[in-house]
Amino acid sequence: MIFGCHVSIKEGYLGAAKLAYKKGASAFQFFPKNPRSLVVKEFDHLDALGCKEFCEKYQLQSIIHTPYPTSLTPTVDKRNLTIQSIINDLSIADACGAIGVVVHFGSPIDTTNPLESYHLMIDMLNSVLEQWDGQALILLENIAGGSMGVTLEEHVQVRSLSLFPEKIGFCFDTCHAFASGLWNGENTKELLQKGTTLNYWSEVKAFHLNNSKYNTGSGKDRHANIFQNGFIKETEFDDLLTSPMFQHLPFILETPKDDGISYEEELVQLQQRWGGLKEH
Ligand SMILES: [Zn+2]
């Protein structure tokens, strides 16, 4: 099993990779730039190359999370900025050897005309990807609640309706799936079956492995540690984490670091519970 966690780039991209390795992770996620800004970053290519080479040497996988203001359904005045920002994130991902760039599914722009939001989202994806020829993928992430981006069908449809489906994959967040009600902890087999039928799982490239501080169906996005303070039971994670479909994919923690447990400890717990103990 490949377990990892989100890490800071305070010490640069190579620094982030080293930090993840030090924590005992086999994978990591990082912000490519200031997480509160869409301003394009002139990044240090040597540092990024160092990150890529370190990851190759120690067999670390990585993904990038786009900055918080990134939306695939932006207001008109933010569209160009957002497109340029995502292309910048994809370039950084490629330079660092990351699998892809996680972007949240779009949110509704017009409640009277839901289709408008999907059209804008597909248009944004096309605008980004027609300018992108690298290896890094866009990874659409499922949402914790609301009227858009909760179901597997929407993800599969948006991908297939875009002009560049081969450049789009998915990132499945367990907290969001649980909070939205898509996964209630008891319907794992049905969910796995459905995702297989829809060709959703075959395009999942990474997981966000989080527990949820609120119950299923709450629609609230509050991450909890896997083994404490969360509504998803250990046994409910079993069928997901032991599925043969996912043994080669990174499961990345975005859990609280201030709830009495560190990433180092949580990664050890994961290895003990579900295997994947990695010799350093
Ligand atoms: Zn997430």
Side-chain angles (χ1 to χ4, degrees):
M1 291 293 291
I2 302 165
F3 292 118
C5 59
H6 188 95
V7 291
S8 156
I9 56 157
K10 250 185 226 149
E11 306 293 333
Y13 301 129
L14 173 57
K18 286 181 173 173
L19 185 61
Y21 186 70
K22 216 176 102 194
K23 287 180 190 292
S26 315
F28 61 103
Q29 173 178 263
F30 58 103
F31 285 115
K33 53 198 180 209
N34 179 347
R36 280 168 287 279
S37 165
L38 294 177
V39 174
V40 166
K41 177 170 170 170
E42 298 291 340
F43 65 100
D44 180 342
H45 286 258
L46 263 184
D47 178 34
L49 180 63
C51 173
K52 182 178 180 174
E53 289 176 346
F54 185 90
C55 291
E56 281 168 2
K57 186 171 175 190
Y58 293 101
Q59 294 183 305
L60 288 169
Q61 297 192 26
S62 72
I63 53 173
I64 272 180
H65 200 299
T66 51
Y68 299 119
T70 309
S71 166
L72 288 173
T73 48
T75 50
V76 177
D77 59 313
K78 293 272 168 60
R79 285 184 196 177
N80 261 329
L81 184 65
T82 304
I83 291 165
Q84 293 317 313
S85 176
I86 298 175
I87 292 168
N88 182 226
D89 297 342
L90 285 163
S91 304
I92 294 172
D94 252 14
C96 290
I99 298 164
V101 163
V102 176
V103 190
H104 291 171
F105 206 92
S107 47
I109 49 169
D110 183 348
T111 45
T112 58
N113 182 0
L115 269 186
E116 190 97 347
S117 309
Y118 295 104
H119 284 153
L120 172 57
M121 192 177 158
I122 291 164
D123 195 54
M124 285 292 289
L125 286 168
N126 289 342
S127 301
V128 168
L129 293 175
E130 72 188 6
Q131 300 179 59
W132 177 244
D133 276 322
Q135 298 290 310
L137 303 169
I138 292 268
L139 302 176
L140 291 178
E141 178 175 3
N142 59 309
I143 305 286
S147 59
M148 199 175 161
V150 160
T151 66
L152 303 186
E153 286 86 344
E154 288 165 275
H155 286 74
V156 171
Q157 277 290 22
V158 163
R159 178 177 183 273
S160 68
L161 290 171
S162 79
L163 294 173
F164 307 98
E166 73 284 358
K167 299 182 187 180
I168 300 173
F170 304 127
C171 174
F172 185 84
D173 187 307
T174 54
C175 168
H176 298 178
F178 184 80
S180 73
L182 170 68
W183 178 43
N184 62 18
E186 292 169 6
N187 64 345
T188 315
K189 288 203 168 70
E190 292 89 330
L191 183 69
L192 291 177
Q193 186 55 53
K194 185 179 203 181
T196 300
T197 308
L198 289 168
N199 286 324
Y200 173 83
W201 298 119
S202 56
E203 306 306 329
V204 168
K205 306 299 174 189
F207 284 82
H208 282 167
L209 182 57
N210 303 308
N211 209 322
S212 173
K213 287 203 173 173
Y214 288 93
N215 211 342
T216 186
S218 64
K220 288 186 183 164
D221 182 7
R222 285 284 306 282
H223 299 184
N225 293 107
I226 301 303
F227 299 97
Q228 63 187 39
N229 302 333
F231 273 89
I232 311 173
K233 300 186 195 96
E234 255 177 77
T235 50
E236 293 175 338
F237 276 113
D238 274 343
D239 285 340
L240 202 67
L241 288 174
T242 59
S243 166
M245 287 191 286
F246 309 143
Q247 300 308 301
H248 62 295
L249 296 176
F251 283 83
I252 296 177
L253 295 167
E254 295 176 309
T255 50
K257 293 186 282 184
D258 51 2
D259 257 3
I261 184 160
S262 66
Y263 276 147
E264 285 92 331
E265 293 168 310
E266 205 168 9
L267 287 166
V268 169
Q269 288 180 332
L270 288 172
Q271 286 164 350
Q272 287 170 342
R273 183 71 173 81
W274 288 292
L277 189 64
K278 193 185 171 198
E279 307 247 340
H280 271 189

